[in-house]
Amino acid sequence: MARTSLLIVYLGTTLPLLFFSPSEARGLGVTYGRVGNDLPDPASVVKLLKENGITMVRIYDTNSTVLKALANTGIKVLVMLDNDDLAAAATSPLYALRWVRCNVAAYYPATLIDGVAVGNEVFMWRPDLTQQLVPAMINVQLALANLGLADAVKVSTPVAFTALKDTFPPSSARFRDDIAQSVMKPMFEFLWRTGSYLSMNPYPFFAYAEDPQNIPLNYALGNYKPGVLDKNTGLVYHSLLDAMMDATYYAIENLTEQYLNIRHPIGSGANQYVTTTWTEGVGGWSSRGVVKQRKPPKGGRNLCQCQPATVANAKAYNNYVINRVLSGNTGTPHRPDADIDTYIFALFNENEKGDGPDDAERYFGLFYPNGTKVYDFDFHPSWCVADAAVEEALLQGALDYACSHGADCGAIQPGGECFEPNTRVAHASYAFNSYYQHNHRAPGTCDFDGAAYVVYQAPRSMALTRLLVVLLGTTLPVLFFFSPAEAGEVGVSYGRVANDLPDPASVVKLLQRHGITMVRLYDANSTVLKALANTGIKVTVMLDNDDLAAAAASRLHALRWARRNVAAHSPATLINGVEVGNEVFEWRPELTPQLVPAMINVQLALAKLGLADAVKVSTPIAFTALKDTFPPSAARFRDDIAQSVMKPMLQFLQRTGSYLSMNPYPFFAYAEDPQNIKLEYALGHYKPGVLDWNTGLVYHSLLDAMMDATYYAMENLTEHLNIIRQPMGSGSLNNGRPGARWSETGWSKRGIIRPGRPRKGRRNLEAGAGFQPATVANAKAYNNHVIDRVVSGNTGTPHRPDADMDVYIFALFDENEKGDGPDDAERYFGLFYPNETKGYDFDFHPSWCVANAAVGEDRLQKALDYACGNGADCGAIQPGGKCFEPNTRVAHASYAFNSFYQRNHRAPGTCDFGGAAYVVHQAPKYGNCVLPWKALIDGRPAKSEGYAAM
């Protein structure tokens, strides 16, 4: 439960340790310094950040103009309290409160400030402030807590690497004696208690410049093949960066073993696991100039007159760091499983830094002040994967070519680490990617005559398959074949069939206030898309049924539509999907033969506009496209569309890395047959369950049954179509387990369910049948069930227990022009009323309560006893219980505290226990025990063991 993270910044370069703080592994940002007189204005800088996909930035002050420019962009910001303000903040809680109110609260949440660095390398540059550092940090954190920002904004401080001693070999490293007890001990206790991080500043660039005779350049740049041995551990280091990181890890372990009563070394896989995040330029290498003497740090040597600052070296080092972080290859010899984020130092060359125009300090920028790149780099990771749709002979020929032209194919030989899965697609993907990366991802190096294509999320076993599910108006898109879904993210469907809704600009503010980062539209309205620009909110747009025939018949029409409705708004508005039509088989069956041609033409248009990788084409299909949906394992696509439409559609989706959207309706399914479908089953928590007699799987949720019916239909169809030779979802491209993303599900909170237009395979509803599923209580129960499942990661189904999924909740607002009259339930699916108040309580941000290991065993035991005696469900931590292991007081206390917190609806003050607990916002895990987030608090299963449909 004491998950600790380490944030490292190099050359400016901070190595923070996030104690219990949820870090976002493989995030990549920049350090934005402004010590220059020729830099672009902040508004232009923000535009540059967005054009380059940079989503995190660190600044060295709290400049108002900069923070205002970053508002409503979705870019995360780390600000700094200057050394000159530190003494005042240390001595006066009121001063700290005023500083936080003026410099953080005044801009949040429009500007996503997520951290405050208190001072900068105080031990080195202002040693006179050493004893005031931790008091200042405490007062700033208390101020954030008083303003309700302590969970969202963490307090840290960058510490120079010279705070360590005996750093070679890395395993010998310790914090210096003069600060270990007096400063580092209380600092660690503070960071542990508040879930924050320590920032350490090692300098690979300057370390090499100080001692080029003994440090090989390639070692500093990160690719020294002979390696350097740590004789104490036998670990070999090929990178100075890794050695510095591990020196910090070892110093932390030695310090925390002594002071924090940690029974296992931090990072051992138990409660004290340390992951790594690099925040300021692990990530810093100057591209020109002379390396001049800085203020001598303790133990530092004068620098030589060598010349490490070249464009080639800077390009090599920073691309090494970027590629490592984005590819997930972030471990160190001592911490092979570490995850890390990084801020690259620096955004611009700064012409007023250092000592004269030849000083290398001025030339760390990724960009020149005119906004052009100093050298090539890419913040977007990419991989090259095989196209499973091409013939085996073509794949084999391309594989042979790659292996004989520079690809490293040793790993796919018998006994190699990637020999399994032993399929041609998996092996070809490995070889194609090796060739692509070896050639620096140059254009044309991932084609192989159409046998390969580029993806932008790391392929798992070189094979990603995804399922996107929409329910209630409700699309269950199946994200096939390498399509990157972001599991655990929750969005909303934003319909506008009403005359009393807030304007789009107000809607965007509402989305941002509630942390909603994805939205789905039913058109491509220009005003809405402009309002969503520069917010970081992901948007799916729709080509209406009325435009479908024209798009199918004319590539020029499709191109004009894509240019006007997608390209005109991208990338300022993050459009990531186009839905072509809406339930065409049901509402416009005459367009059925034109559906796939329209999808193909829209995708070709996006490709011509350079948007095909970023924007995927799909179409929502009514659940009535399936037949024999009970039991789920019997489900198939209907005979009249399977070969004529679904076969070419799935081939198209596979080829383009896109997704199929299916629309089951748990709400309407229950309303159609309340005599045979239990309300609890429709809401997602029917304890007895429903049996699929073909498979033995038991379903506690109608939603899961509908999802699995779709999975089975996909499997049965693809078996016949020879697209997937083994059942989808078993682990590779041919055998890959689909994840799930639900793009529309919901439940009405009032009104009558009217018959509406009859659908094939569905019964007409009887108005006034004596039951009323559309209630606030039911809507609250169902939508919170869906939200809780997704954000907590508890997203599998009986047939697909490991499935990942995102979800769009239907709908954002009640819409007063939908349906047939003011009493029609169609009007009341909204999470919000048109006046922007909630229809019922919900929370898009998960939270858990965990034990604070720093308070000691006695306080933890007393708090644990209190929780178990006052409503917490502590059965799971008794001997034999599912969370008895790991049998530690911290793990057991965390389980009990979290149960108490969730059962009290996460009310303020219910996660404190006299300082023995605190709130976290990422799912905690002890051994194999994952703490629940609301989903199991009432004793209701959050997902089925296996279930039955409708």
Side-chain angles (χ1 to χ4, degrees):
M1 254 341 298
R3 178 182 173 93
T4 52
S5 292
L6 180 61
L7 174 61
I8 304 183
V9 181
Y10 294 66
L11 163 18
T13 132
T14 301
L15 182 146
L17 254 111
L18 283 172
F19 292 113
F20 303 105
S21 177
S23 62
E24 298 182 74
R26 296 180 298 282
L28 190 61
V30 294
T31 296
Y32 173 22
R34 303 189 316 282
V35 186
N37 59 22
D38 58 352
L39 300 181
D41 64 272
S44 299
V45 171
V46 168
K47 184 178 179 182
L48 182 72
L49 296 174
K50 290 190 288 193
E51 287 172 348
N52 287 276
I54 298 170
T55 59
M56 304 189 303
V57 67
R58 181 176 187 261
I59 61 177
Y60 292 91
D61 54 20
T62 54
N63 182 276
S64 177
T65 304
V66 173
L67 291 175
K68 287 177 180 176
L70 286 162
N72 303 318
T73 63
I75 296 172
K76 299 173 187 174
V77 186
L78 176 63
V79 299
M80 180 177 283
L81 180 143
D82 192 82
N83 286 344
D84 292 339
D85 291 318
L86 194 147
T91 56
S92 171
L94 179 59
Y95 180 91
L97 179 62
R98 288 172 177 165
W99 187 93
V100 170
R101 184 178 286 120
C102 292
N103 295 289
V104 180
Y107 303 97
Y108 185 88
T111 303
L112 294 181
I113 299 171
D114 65 349
V116 175
V118 174
N120 190 27
E121 293 187 332
V122 170
F123 304 154
M124 178 185 289
W125 302 108
R126 289 295 302 273
D128 55 303
L129 297 174
T130 295
Q131 298 306 316
Q132 295 169 285
L133 177 56
V134 174
M137 295 170 70
I138 291 171
N139 284 346
V140 169
Q141 197 275 337
L142 288 173
L144 290 166
N146 286 335
L147 295 170
L149 297 174
D151 288 332
V153 184
K154 295 302 177 183
V155 176
S156 63
T157 186
V159 178
F161 193 64
T162 51
L164 302 184
K165 66 175 185 176
D166 303 331
T167 57
F168 185 82
S171 58
S172 298
R174 304 290 188 276
F175 285 97
R176 290 189 340 236
D177 296 338
D178 62 309
I179 58 171
Q181 295 243 16
S182 60
V183 183
M184 300 311 299
K185 176 181 178 179
M187 185 184 296
F188 272 97
E189 290 171 343
F190 163 80
L191 296 170
W192 198 283
R193 185 175 68 252
T194 62
S196 191
Y197 51 83
L198 173 69
S199 302
M200 292 291 298
N201 289 12
Y203 299 77
F205 171 78
F206 286 109
Y208 169 71
E210 286 178 351
D211 194 10
Q213 290 78 23
N214 294 309
I215 297 177
L217 176 59
N218 285 341
Y219 185 48
L221 294 177
N223 61 329
Y224 184 53
K225 289 189 177 180
V228 177
L229 177 67
D230 183 326
K231 294 181 180 179
N232 295 333
T233 63
L235 296 175
V236 177
Y237 290 82
H238 301 281
S239 163
L240 178 56
L241 171 57
D242 278 350
M244 289 177 158
M245 290 168 63
D246 273 355
T248 304
Y249 281 125
Y250 281 112
I252 293 164
E253 290 172 21
N254 290 310
L255 177 66
T256 54
E257 281 178 354
Q258 182 177 356
Y259 296 130
L260 298 181
N261 299 315
I262 296 180
R263 287 161 184 75
H264 305 285
I266 299 181
S268 60
N271 297 340
Q272 290 77 25
Y273 184 68
V274 180
T275 58
T276 309
T277 314
W278 317 343
T279 41
E280 188 196 21
V282 220
W285 197 285
S286 181
S287 59
R288 61 170 286 197
V290 177
V291 185
K292 298 190 177 183
Q293 178 67 49
R294 309 173 74 216
K295 178 178 178 179
K298 293 178 183 178
R301 295 182 294 277
N302 289 333
L303 306 186
C304 72
Q305 294 303 310
C306 56
Q307 181 52 287
T310 69
V311 168
N313 288 347
K315 177 181 179 180
Y317 181 74
N318 281 336
N319 275 286
Y320 157 72
V321 171
I322 292 169
N323 291 338
R324 236 184 106 172
V325 174
L326 293 180
S327 67
N329 184 25
T330 53
T332 66
H334 184 48
R335 291 286 176 264
D337 297 324
D339 291 331
I340 31 189
D341 292 356
T342 183
Y343 293 72
I344 297 294
F345 181 87
L347 183 57
F348 295 110
N349 288 342
E350 299 170 65
N351 70 358
E352 293 183 333
K353 292 193 76 170
D355 182 21
D358 62 342
D359 195 323
E361 288 270 6
R362 298 189 171 190
Y363 304 106
F364 277 82
L366 294 169
F367 295 91
Y368 294 110
N370 66 3
T372 60
K373 290 182 178 181
V374 176
Y375 41 82
D376 189 50
F377 59 85
D378 187 356
F379 276 53
H380 303 95
S382 62
W383 293 261
C384 183
V385 297
D387 184 348
V390 305
E391 295 179 357
E392 295 268 314
L394 179 56
L395 275 185
Q396 186 63 55
L399 192 162
D400 293 341
Y401 176 88
C403 291
S404 61
H405 287 79
D408 178 4
C409 296
I412 54 176
Q413 303 305 312
E417 61 181 346
C418 290
F419 179 71
E420 295 293 344
N422 181 17
T423 67
R424 189 168 280 110
V425 169
H427 288 186
S429 291
Y430 189 94
F432 295 169
N433 187 61
S434 176
Y435 181 89
Y436 177 64
Q437 303 296 344
H438 182 74
N439 286 281
H440 310 291
R441 306 190 302 281
T445 59
C446 179
D447 182 73
F448 299 97
D449 292 327
Y453 58 94
V454 174
V455 296
Y456 292 90
Q457 184 158 316
R460 189 170 50 203
S461 297
M462 294 312 299
L464 289 183
T465 49
R466 292 292 184 189
L467 175 64
L468 173 60
V469 182
V470 180
L471 309 149
L472 165 336
T474 124
T475 302
L476 182 149
V478 187
L479 279 180
F480 268 175
F481 322 116
F482 304 107
S483 178
E486 296 183 72
E489 193 168 2
V490 182
V492 293
S493 292
Y494 173 21
R496 303 188 318 282
V497 186
N499 59 20
D500 60 350
L501 298 182
D503 63 272
S506 299
V507 171
V508 168
K509 290 180 181 178
L510 179 73
L511 297 174
Q512 292 172 322
R513 284 199 303 273
H514 290 275
I516 298 171
T517 59
M518 303 191 303
V519 66
R520 180 174 180 260
L521 309 179
Y522 294 90
D523 54 20
N525 182 276
S526 178
T527 304
V528 174
L529 291 175
K530 288 177 181 176
L532 287 162
N534 304 319
T535 63
I537 295 172
K538 300 169 189 172
V539 185
T540 297
V541 298
M542 182 177 285
L543 180 143
D544 192 80
N545 286 343
D546 292 339
D547 288 320
L548 193 147
S554 169
R555 289 186 179 181
L556 180 59
H557 181 92
L559 179 62
R560 288 172 176 165
W561 188 93
R563 182 180 287 121
R564 180 174 64 253
N565 295 291
V566 182
H569 301 281
S570 182
T573 303
L574 295 181
I575 299 172
N576 66 351
V578 174
E579 292 182 333
V580 174
N582 191 25
E583 294 189 333
V584 170
F585 303 154
E586 180 162 332
W587 301 106
R588 294 292 300 276
E590 74 277 11
L591 295 175
T592 295
Q594 296 166 286
L595 178 55
V596 174
M599 296 170 69
I600 291 171
N601 285 347
V602 170
Q603 197 275 337
L604 290 172
L606 292 168
K608 193 164 188 177
L609 296 168
L611 297 172
D613 289 329
V615 185
K616 296 302 177 183
V617 175
S618 64
T619 185
I621 298 175
F623 193 63
T624 51
L626 302 185
K627 67 174 185 175
D628 303 331
T629 57
F630 183 80
S633 58
R636 304 290 189 276
F637 286 99
R638 290 188 340 234
D639 296 337
D640 62 309
I641 59 173
Q643 291 280 340
S644 60
V645 183
M646 299 310 301
K647 175 179 178 177
M649 185 184 295
L650 292 181
Q651 289 171 335
F652 163 80
L653 296 171
Q654 181 182 25
R655 186 174 67 252
T656 62
S658 190
Y659 50 84
L660 174 70
S661 300
M662 292 290 297
N663 288 14
Y665 298 76
F667 171 76
F668 287 112
Y670 168 68
E672 287 177 350
D673 195 10
Q675 290 76 26
N676 294 309
I677 296 176
K678 301 290 187 183
L679 176 61
E680 293 81 3
Y681 185 47
L683 294 177
H685 54 95
Y686 182 52
K687 287 186 179 180
V690 178
L691 176 68
D692 182 326
W693 54 80
N694 291 332
T695 62
L697 297 174
V698 177
Y699 289 80
H700 302 283
S701 160
L702 178 56
L703 172 58
D704 278 351
M706 289 177 159
M707 290 169 62
D708 271 355
T710 304
Y711 281 125
Y712 281 112
M714 291 162 56
E715 292 172 18
N716 290 311
L717 177 64
T718 52
E719 282 176 356
H720 290 301
L721 300 181
N722 294 320
I723 294 176
I724 299 180
R725 289 163 182 75
Q726 296 172 334
M728 290 171 51
S730 52
S732 71
L733 180 64
N734 292 337
N735 205 8
R737 187 171 294 278
R741 181 174 138 194
W742 317 342
S743 60
E744 186 180 319
T745 188
W747 196 286
S748 180
K749 58 185 177 292
R750 60 170 286 199
I752 296 169
I753 303 171
R754 297 189 180 279
R757 177 176 174 178
R759 301 176 183 231
K760 294 177 184 177
R762 293 180 60 181
R763 295 181 294 277
N764 290 331
L765 307 183
E766 297 181 11
F771 73 101
Q772 178 52 282
T775 68
V776 169
N778 288 347
K780 178 181 179 181
Y782 180 76
N783 283 336
N784 275 286
H785 162 69
V786 173
I787 294 170
D788 295 352
R789 268 186 74 174
V790 175
V791 297
S792 66
N794 186 23
T795 54
T797 66
H799 185 49
R800 291 284 177 265
D802 298 323
D804 293 331
M805 43 186 147
D806 292 354
V807 62
Y808 291 77
I809 297 295
F810 181 87
L812 184 57
F813 293 111
D814 287 348
E815 298 171 65
N816 69 0
E817 293 183 334
K818 293 193 75 170
D820 183 21
D823 60 346
D824 195 321
E826 288 272 5
R827 297 190 172 190
Y828 305 107
F829 278 83
L831 294 170
F832 295 92
Y833 296 110
N835 66 3
E836 302 184 27
T837 60
K838 289 182 176 180
Y840 41 82
D841 188 50
F842 59 85
D843 187 357
F844 277 51
H845 302 94
S847 62
W848 295 262
C849 183
V850 298
N852 180 3
V855 302
E857 299 269 312
D858 291 342
R859 288 176 61 186
L860 281 183
Q861 186 62 54
K862 290 178 182 177
L864 193 162
D865 294 340
Y866 175 86
C868 291
N870 287 272
D873 177 6
C874 296
I877 54 176
Q878 301 306 312
K882 65 179 180 179
C883 287
F884 179 70
E885 295 293 343
N887 182 17
T888 67
R889 192 164 281 116
V890 169
H892 288 186
S894 291
Y895 190 94
F897 296 167
N898 186 63
S899 176
F900 182 89
Y901 176 64
Q902 305 295 349
R903 284 178 177 269
N904 287 281
H905 308 289
R906 305 188 306 282
T910 59
C911 180
D912 183 72
F913 299 97
Y918 59 93
V919 173
V920 296
H921 294 275
Q922 185 161 313
K925 184 176 181 181
Y926 288 89
N928 292 320
C929 181
V930 179
L931 302 194
W933 179 60
K934 294 199 301 180
L936 296 175
I937 294 307
D938 297 325
R940 303 177 304 198
K943 65 177 180 181
S944 301
E945 305 155 20
Y947 9 120
M950 310 45 81

